[in-house]
């Protein structure tokens, strides 16, 4: 896994948003976060600087200090909100989607419009915390990745 500069963020790779909206999570991120274990993941809006979205699952989010997000939004907690339907909560928006055992998720056109991403984009998979990782769409970290001498795998 590349670390683009000393003390900098670790990246797992890049994920291409395919024409049909599918996106594959890098295998190393899948392993580290056991992200496909529950068959569903939560996506939530990324930072203003990096954009894109963050990815987590109930088993990581609910027992954490951020578990109140799910407690305060029962349609997310029990997956009764429609898949890919964003719910606003304290400045960010959250949804859930299914994830395959191979780490593939589907971003609908409506979701992509909401997240300001599109087919053909390469999102940078960044280790963020022990709760979630980021699929970044813009900003200094992506520029740094573009100029990185080593190899960043594309999935």
């Amino acid at each position: 896994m590349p670390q683009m500069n000393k003390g900098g963020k670790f990246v797992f790779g890049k994920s291409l948003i395919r024409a049909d909206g599918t996106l594959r999570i890098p295998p190393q991120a899948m392993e580290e976060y056991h992200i496909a274990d529950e068959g569903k993941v939560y996506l939530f809006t990324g930072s203003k600087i990096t954009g894109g979205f963050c990815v987590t699952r109930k088993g990581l989010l609910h027992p954490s200090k951020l578990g109140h997000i799910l407690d305060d939004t029962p349609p997310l907690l029990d997956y009764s909100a429609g898949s890919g339907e964003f719910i606003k909560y304290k400045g960010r928006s959250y949804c859930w989607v299914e994830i395959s055992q191979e780490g593939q998720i589907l971003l609908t056109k409506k979701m992509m419009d909401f997240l300001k991403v599109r087919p053909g984009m390469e999102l940078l998979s960044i280790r963020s915390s022990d709760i979630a990782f980021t699929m970044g769409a813009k900003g200094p970290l992506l520029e740094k990745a573009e100029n990185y001498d080593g190899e960043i795998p594309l999935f």
Side-chain angles (χ1 to χ4, degrees):
M1 162 184 16
Q3 185 174 22
M4 293 181 290
N5 58 335
K6 193 171 169 57
K9 294 264 189 185
F10 283 93
V11 299
F12 299 108
K14 292 180 182 176
S15 295
L16 174 68
I17 302 176
R18 290 171 174 73
D20 64 358
T22 58
L23 173 127
R24 187 163 163 245
I25 303 296
Q28 194 168 355
M30 286 186 52
E31 283 172 36
E32 192 168 309
Y33 292 85
H34 298 277
I35 208 67
D37 287 9
E38 299 165 21
K40 292 179 175 74
V41 291
Y42 294 112
L43 308 182
F44 57 97
T45 47
S47 71
K48 283 182 172 47
I49 293 169
T50 309
F53 55 91
C54 302
V55 184
T56 189
R57 59 180 173 84
K58 188 186 287 187
L60 291 173
L61 185 60
H62 203 221
S64 79
K65 63 184 183 293
L66 299 176
H68 63 88
I69 294 166
L70 294 178
D71 292 331
D72 294 349
T73 54
L76 286 174
L77 178 64
D78 64 15
Y79 305 113
S80 62
S83 173
E85 215 173 90
F86 282 94
I87 296 173
K88 221 170 180 41
Y89 178 80
K90 293 189 177 182
R92 294 216 183 190
S93 295
Y94 300 79
C95 77
W96 69 270
V97 294
E98 292 185 357
I99 185 169
S100 72
Q101 284 305 300
E102 299 75 41
Q104 194 163 286
I105 62 172
L106 175 65
L107 302 174
T108 63
K109 178 167 180 0
K110 187 175 175 184
M111 291 170 68
M112 287 190 272
D113 289 347
F114 186 83
L115 294 167
K116 297 178 176 65
V117 297
R118 64 188 183 291
M121 283 179 86
E122 293 178 1
L123 303 181
L124 189 63
S125 182
I126 309 157
R127 180 191 285 151
S128 308
S129 69
D130 56 353
I131 299 167
F133 60 93
T134 300
M135 300 300 288
K138 62 181 183 172
L141 215 48
L142 272 86
E143 289 166 25
K144 201 170 269 185
E146 288 303 315
N147 300 319
Y148 179 67
D149 283 341
E151 188 183 331
I152 300 175
L154 178 65
F155 299 95

